[in-house]
């Protein structure tokens, strides 16, 4: 729910805040965004009102996030670390599904280099295990490129000889409770005193989903201790299992279908197909990814524009993989019509044109 507050907050705003809190039990939305665009500052009574509203939302498991484009108001709000403050609504949408630039910078400065990857020792926010291993590619040493027969773009290092595959180590897995994510910031980084950025209420849901994650590992019949299985090096079967755990974890993080990161789930399914065993039926992964990508394409309010165009390009590829040629062509045309004149989307638009040739 997005509420525009062009004049800030005063005592009269308590009425609609009470109304929102009164609806919270029966609502499907996961939080409230207050848009303070154009507001320069907020007095003590406004901040007190904001604090009470935040407390009421968190008591019901809902989040509060703030949009502030004026530096003075930003500094006032950031003093209270309880709030997520962004510059605009597009940045807010992006922050829901991507690591914040400040967090990425801190990790890049602290990672231990392992070949073309930077490694971290992390702590699980669910069970507090501090033996989680995570890796990310150094963005300054990789280039994003398209490769034949790959649905997603690949992060290729400057010197590919003996380089580690980025996708194979993109998912960090807790060896105890098996919580898994390609979002390294969803784990505590004790070395940098950075807490996990999981959405409010998701830790309880993840704890309750342990049995489902354990069943995924048991079904793989891999007689290897989990701290070795999800360490380095990783067998392809371990990589596929890690992405399956990431998919299940994303399902637990979401409160319901509308608040679940369908894009992330679709990517996890595509990766499971990529690392599938020889002879394994890939159509089941692509069919499931297709359903989620269709949902992403329809939920334009949930994703930033660059995430939407990326999802459409994956939908185009998956539709071709499933033999839905006419539908794939239609999606490709939609991509060109919607984003063809946006220079920031050229990487994705050119990919769709290439696939349609």
């Amino acid at each position: 729910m997005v509420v525009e507050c062009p004049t800030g907050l005063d005592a009269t705003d308590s009425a609609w805040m009470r109304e929102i809190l009164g609806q919270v039990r029966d609502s499907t939305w996961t939080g409230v965004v207050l848009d303070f665009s154009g507001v320069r500052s907020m007095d003590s009574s406004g901040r007190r009102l904001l604090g009470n509203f935040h407390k009421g939302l968190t008591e019901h498991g809902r989040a509060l996030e703030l949009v502030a484009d004026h530096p003075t108001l930003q500094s006032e709000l950031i003093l209270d670390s309880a709030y997520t403050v962004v510059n605009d609504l597009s940045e807010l949408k992006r922050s829901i599904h991507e690591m914040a630039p400040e967090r990425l910078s801190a990790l890049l400065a602290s990672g231990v280099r392992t070949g073309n990857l930077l490694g971290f020792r992390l702590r699980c926010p669910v069970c507090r295990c501090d033996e989680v291993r995570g890796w990310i590619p150094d963005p300054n040493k990789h280039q994003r490129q398209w490769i034949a027969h790959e649905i997603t773009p690949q992060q290729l290092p400057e010197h590919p000889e003996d380089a580690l595959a980025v996708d194979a180590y993109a998912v960090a897995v807790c060896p105890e409770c098996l919580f898994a994510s390609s979002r390294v910031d969803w784990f505590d980084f004790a070395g940098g005193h950075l807490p996990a950025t999981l959405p409010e209420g998701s830790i309880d849901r993840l704890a309750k989903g342990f049995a489902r994650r354990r069943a995924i590992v048991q079904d793989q019949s891999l007689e290897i201790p989990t701290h070795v299985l999800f360490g380095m090096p990783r067998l392809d079967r371990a990589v596929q299992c890690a992405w399956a755990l990431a998919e299940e974890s994303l399902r637990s993080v979401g409160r319901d279908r509308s608040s679940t990161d369908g894009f992330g789930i679709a990517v996890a399914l595509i990766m499971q197909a990529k690392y599938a065993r020889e002879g394994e039926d890939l159509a089941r992964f692509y069919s499931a990814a297709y359903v989620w990508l269709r949902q992403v394409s329809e939920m334009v309010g949930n994703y930033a524009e660059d995430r939407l165009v990326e999802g459409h390009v994956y939908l185009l590829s998956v539709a071709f993989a499933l033999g839905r040629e006419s539908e794939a062509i239609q999606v490709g045309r939609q991509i060109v019509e919607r984003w063809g004149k946006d220079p920031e989307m050229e990487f994705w638009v050119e990919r769709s044109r290439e696939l349609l040739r």
Side-chain angles (χ1 to χ4, degrees), residues 227-287:
H227 71 277
V228 176
L229 182 66
F230 300 117
M232 183 180 286
R234 283 186 185 177
L235 302 172
D236 282 357
R237 289 181 66 189
V239 176
Q240 186 191 43
C241 185
W243 280 106
L245 291 170
E247 176 198 347
E248 176 56 40
S249 296
L250 280 171
R251 292 176 183 270
S252 295
V253 167
R255 284 176 49 85
D256 48 38
R257 193 174 182 86
S258 65
S259 64
T260 299
D261 182 8
F263 176 91
I265 289 177
V267 170
L269 287 161
I270 291 168
M271 289 301 166
Q272 289 173 69
K274 176 177 179 175
Y275 288 96
R277 286 167 286 183
E278 185 176 354
E280 194 170 355
D281 180 20
L282 303 186
R284 68 187 183 95
F285 298 115
Y286 292 143
S287 296

Side-chain angles (χ1 to χ4, degrees), residues 10-318:
D10 58 38
T12 62
D13 293 304
S14 60
W16 59 259
M17 288 181 171
R18 285 195 300 270
E19 184 178 349
I20 289 175
L21 292 174
Q23 299 172 0
V24 73
R25 290 184 181 276
D26 302 319
S27 66
T28 57
W29 41 265
T30 59
V32 176
V33 176
L34 299 186
D35 185 0
F36 294 113
S37 297
V39 178
R40 292 177 172 272
S41 185
M42 186 180 301
D43 60 22
S44 58
S45 61
R47 291 198 295 273
R48 185 164 54 251
L49 194 64
L50 186 63
N52 292 335
F53 185 52
H54 178 245
K55 180 180 179 181
L57 287 171
T58 54
E59 286 175 352
H60 291 90
R62 303 301 198 274
L64 175 64
E65 297 181 313
L66 312 175
V67 176
D69 57 1
H70 196 279
T72 301
L73 181 59
Q74 286 178 355
S75 62
E76 291 175 356
L77 296 174
I78 290 173
L79 285 175
D80 189 338
S81 58
Y83 304 132
T84 297
V85 182
V86 296
N87 291 311
D88 54 45
L89 286 176
S90 179
E91 183 182 339
L92 177 63
K93 291 178 184 178
R94 188 172 292 108
S95 72
I96 295 171
H97 303 298
E98 298 178 15
M99 191 189 313
E102 296 81 7
R103 180 68 168 256
L104 177 59
S105 297
L107 289 172
L108 293 176
S110 307
V112 176
R113 185 166 296 283
T114 305
N116 55 305
L117 305 180
L118 296 173
F120 310 91
R121 183 170 174 174
L122 308 168
R123 182 170 57 229
C124 177
V126 182
C127 69
R128 313 311 294 172
C129 171
D130 60 2
E131 296 294 331
V132 183
R133 300 288 304 281
W135 295 271
I136 59 174
D138 185 340
N140 297 319
K141 297 184 178 296
H142 289 75
Q143 287 188 342
R144 186 175 59 170
Q145 296 182 23
W146 293 105
I147 297 179
H149 310 300
E150 292 281 0
I151 292 179
T152 61
Q154 302 301 295
Q155 295 285 348
L156 299 181
E158 297 173 340
H159 306 289
E161 304 85 8
D162 301 321
L164 296 166
V166 172
D167 290 339
Y169 295 93
V171 176
V173 183
C174 173
E176 295 294 331
C177 74
L178 303 175
F179 165 54
S181 179
S182 59
R183 293 273 303 263
V184 178
D185 59 319
W186 276 9
F187 294 86
D188 297 328
F189 179 45
H193 305 287
L194 298 172
T197 61
L198 275 166
E200 292 185 51
S202 57
I203 290 178
D204 288 341
R205 294 191 291 275
L206 284 164
K208 293 174 182 177
F210 170 62
R212 294 191 298 273
R213 298 194 297 276
R214 181 175 57 188
I216 290 172
V217 176
Q218 291 174 340
D219 288 346
Q220 293 286 337
S221 300
L222 294 168
E223 301 300 325
I224 305 174
T226 51
H227 71 277
V228 176
L229 182 66
F230 300 117
M232 183 180 286
R234 283 186 185 177
L235 302 172
D236 282 357
R237 289 181 66 189
V239 176
Q240 186 191 43
C241 185
W243 280 106
L245 291 170
E247 176 198 347
E248 176 56 40
S249 296
L250 280 171
R251 292 176 183 270
S252 295
V253 167
R255 284 176 49 85
D256 48 38
R257 193 174 182 86
S258 65
S259 64
T260 299
D261 182 8
F263 176 91
I265 289 177
V267 170
L269 287 161
I270 291 168
M271 289 301 166
Q272 289 173 69
K274 176 177 179 175
Y275 288 96
R277 286 167 286 183
E278 185 176 354
E280 194 170 355
D281 180 20
L282 303 186
R284 68 187 183 95
F285 298 115
Y286 292 143
S287 296
Y290 170 85
V291 173
W292 283 102
L293 289 169
R294 265 293 171 199
Q295 176 180 299
V296 170
S297 69
E298 296 167 359
M299 300 179 67
V300 295
N302 284 30
Y303 300 92
E305 282 296 300
D306 51 354
R307 181 58 56 92
L308 283 173
V309 67
E310 185 176 355
H312 276 74
V313 172
Y314 296 164
L315 177 60
L316 168 60
S317 294
V318 169

